[in-house]
């Protein structure tokens, strides 16, 4: 558990929080004017290892070499030169802050954080965090890593993190409205970038069903056709790994640390958020609640109706591009050509 405190005066700025993986949709811009829900589950925090927030510098100003040092390997419009390590928490878990009125940029419908930190410690006035709640953005408060203390030094990473993940229900890929889930679009956009990078530019085979729905159309459009060189299959805790030479493994990210699952002998992996990975391997897993009574069998038969989306799935193009730009393999000409093609064509029908 962590309680974040003001680095200026020591005042508590959060409820007690436990670590969670940074959601794939943390920096998603979605739709046109929709209000999105809160990014983080109440009682949790996540750390963004990338630099974020202002100052921003244009790609032309920064140049290939300096961008590569910052972990960006293909042209992006701007790079953040803010601090790495911003801490995301739910706005309701923040304590003892006040808005800084002159930093409240945004206002289509709320704050977008483009002026930098817009929340100050109520006790000493230090700018400590950025609240974001404008439309098309997930609602979140980002603590400035230099302005707060409290991150546990012993947070487990990688193979040492435990995979005991009971309790969190899987996010279904289709919303009750009948549309594809926005979170799945984000996660699949990021996963598609990793999948292309490990394909070596050769056709891959996908199992029928949800995986083909998620990745089939963009892979058909972006990779050459022909006999598949490799097959994509899930692997992870409790799932045996077979034939690693001819396979690409969809693996879960640890729900606490975000580190991808690893096993000896497998190199080609595509990480997915844990709850989505779990849905892919066990779509019918439901949380069973003890109830009494209920509807007769004959009525339950058709209730609820199976969810059917009303259009084809589209991965999030912006998250696909921002993820691919951060994979070193994008410097290979064949992958860079795909990056440029998607970058130059914002309205391709598979995104
Ligand atoms: Zn303070
Ligand atoms: Zn708006």
């Amino acid at each position: 558990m962590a309680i974040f405190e003001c680095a200026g005066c020591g005042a508590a700025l959060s409820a007690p929080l436990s670590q969670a993986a940074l959601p794939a949709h943390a920096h998603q811009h979605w739709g046109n004017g929709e209000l999105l829900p809160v990014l983080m589950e109440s009682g949790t925090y996540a750390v963004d290892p990338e630099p974020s927030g202002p100052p921003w510098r244009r790609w032309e100003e920064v140049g290939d070499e300096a961008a590569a040092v910052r972990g960006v390997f293909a042209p992006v419009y701007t790079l953040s030169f803010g601090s790495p390590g911003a801490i995301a928490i739910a706005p309701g878990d923040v304590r003892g802050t006040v808005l800084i009125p002159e930093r409240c940029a945004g206002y289509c419908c709320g704050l977008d954080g483009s002026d930098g930190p817009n929340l100050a410690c109520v006790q000493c006035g230090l700018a400590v965090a950025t609240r974001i709640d404008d439309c098309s953005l997930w609602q979140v408060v980002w603590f400035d890593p230099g302005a707060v203390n409290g991150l546990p030094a012993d947070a487990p990473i990688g193979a040492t993190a435990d995979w005991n993940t009971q309790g969190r229900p899987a996010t279904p890929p289709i919303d009750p409205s009948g549309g594809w889930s926005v979170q799945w679009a984000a996660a699949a956009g990021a996963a598609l970038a990793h999948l292309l990078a490990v394909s070596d530019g050769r056709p891959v085979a996908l199992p029928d069903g949800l995986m083909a729905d998620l990745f089939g159309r963009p892979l058909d459009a972006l990779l050459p056709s022909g006999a598949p060189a490799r097959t994509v299959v899930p692997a992870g805790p409790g799932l045996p790994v077979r034939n690693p030479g001819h396979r690409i493994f969809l693996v879960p990210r640890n729900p606490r640390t975000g580190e991808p699952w690893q096993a000896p002998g497998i190199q080609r992996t595509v990480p997915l958020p844990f709850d989505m990975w779990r849905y892919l391997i066990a779509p019918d897993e439901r949380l069973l609640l003890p109830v009494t009574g209920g509807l007769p069998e004959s009525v339950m038969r058709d209730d609820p109706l199976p969810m059917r989306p009303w259009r084809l799935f589209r991965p999030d193009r912006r998250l696909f591009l921002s993820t691919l730009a951060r994979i070193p393999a994008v410097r290979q000409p064949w992958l860079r050509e795909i990056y440029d093609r998607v970058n130059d064509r914002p309205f391709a029908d598979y995104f």
Side-chain angles (χ1 to χ4, degrees):
M1 283 286 182
I3 293 180
F4 293 94
E5 294 169 352
C6 174
C9 70
L13 297 176
S14 79
L17 305 171
S18 56
Q19 190 189 4
L22 184 71
H25 49 284
H27 298 291
Q28 190 176 28
H29 290 242
W30 184 262
N32 184 18
E34 278 107 306
L35 283 176
L36 296 182
V38 173
L39 176 70
M40 298 301 298
E41 209 178 329
S42 178
T44 67
Y45 72 90
V47 179
D48 185 356
E50 297 265 329
S52 60
W56 301 89
R57 298 217 189 122
R58 295 280 297 274
W59 175 263
E60 303 84 66
E61 240 182 89
V62 178
D64 295 24
E65 306 256 309
V69 170
R70 300 185 72 78
V72 182
F73 305 101
V76 292
Y77 185 65
T78 53
L79 275 93
S80 166
F81 276 70
S83 313
I87 300 146
I89 79 170
D93 284 336
V94 178
R95 303 286 181 267
T97 65
V98 63
L99 280 169
I100 307 172
E102 58 275 23
R103 296 259 192 93
C104 288
Y107 270 101
C108 176
C109 303
L111 308 173
D112 69 5
S114 58
D115 282 345
N118 55 24
L119 290 178
C121 168
V122 76
Q123 199 160 293
C124 75
L126 182 69
V128 288
T130 305
R131 177 171 177 141
I132 292 178
D133 54 17
D134 207 351
C135 53
S136 300
L137 301 169
W138 289 82
Q139 298 180 38
V140 62
V141 168
W142 292 100
F143 279 132
D144 179 335
V148 297
N149 298 323
L151 206 56
D154 59 345
I157 51 162
T160 57
D162 79 58
W163 288 88
N164 176 17
T165 51
Q166 290 301 311
R168 180 106 202 259
T171 308
I174 301 164
D175 285 338
S177 68
W180 288 98
S181 143
V182 176
Q183 291 101 309
W184 278 74
L192 178 63
H194 289 281
L195 184 46
L196 281 170
V198 296
S199 74
D200 293 333
R202 296 158 72 195
V204 298
L206 294 165
D208 285 340
L210 186 55
M211 268 194 248
D213 290 342
L214 299 180
F215 303 116
R217 292 195 311 141
L219 288 183
D220 284 349
L222 298 172
L223 290 176
S225 54
R230 292 192 181 88
T231 304
V232 182
V233 294
L239 273 189
V241 172
R242 297 197 190 92
N243 279 336
H246 298 93
R247 293 191 161 174
I248 292 169
F249 294 98
L250 272 183
V251 299
R253 287 188 183 276
N254 187 279
R256 256 190 83 193
T257 66
E259 291 289 317
W261 183 84
Q262 292 170 344
I266 68 169
Q267 278 127 29
R268 296 170 192 282
T269 59
V270 175
L272 270 183
F274 185 86
D275 55 341
M276 297 180 191
W277 174 85
R278 192 168 63 174
Y279 190 94
L280 269 175
I281 60 162
D284 290 329
E285 181 188 293
R286 299 204 185 126
L287 286 183
L288 298 177
L289 296 174
V291 292
T292 55
L295 295 169
E297 273 297 309
S298 56
V299 176
M300 280 298 286
R301 184 192 57 200
D302 299 327
D303 180 33
L305 292 169
M307 296 300 288
R308 296 270 182 257
W310 49 268
R311 70 170 201 182
L312 296 172
F313 180 77
R314 292 168 189 238
D316 188 303
R317 177 177 163 277
R318 274 183 282 216
L319 288 177
F320 167 75
L321 287 169
S322 66
T323 305
L324 190 53
R326 287 162 176 79
I327 298 176
V330 76
R331 289 179 289 194
Q332 297 172 39
W334 70 270
L335 193 50
R336 174 61 188 272
E337 186 276 322
I338 289 177
Y339 178 86
D340 291 340
R341 204 184 334 157
V342 175
N343 212 5
D344 295 344
R345 290 190 54 207
F347 302 108
D349 64 0
Y350 44 89
F351 278 110

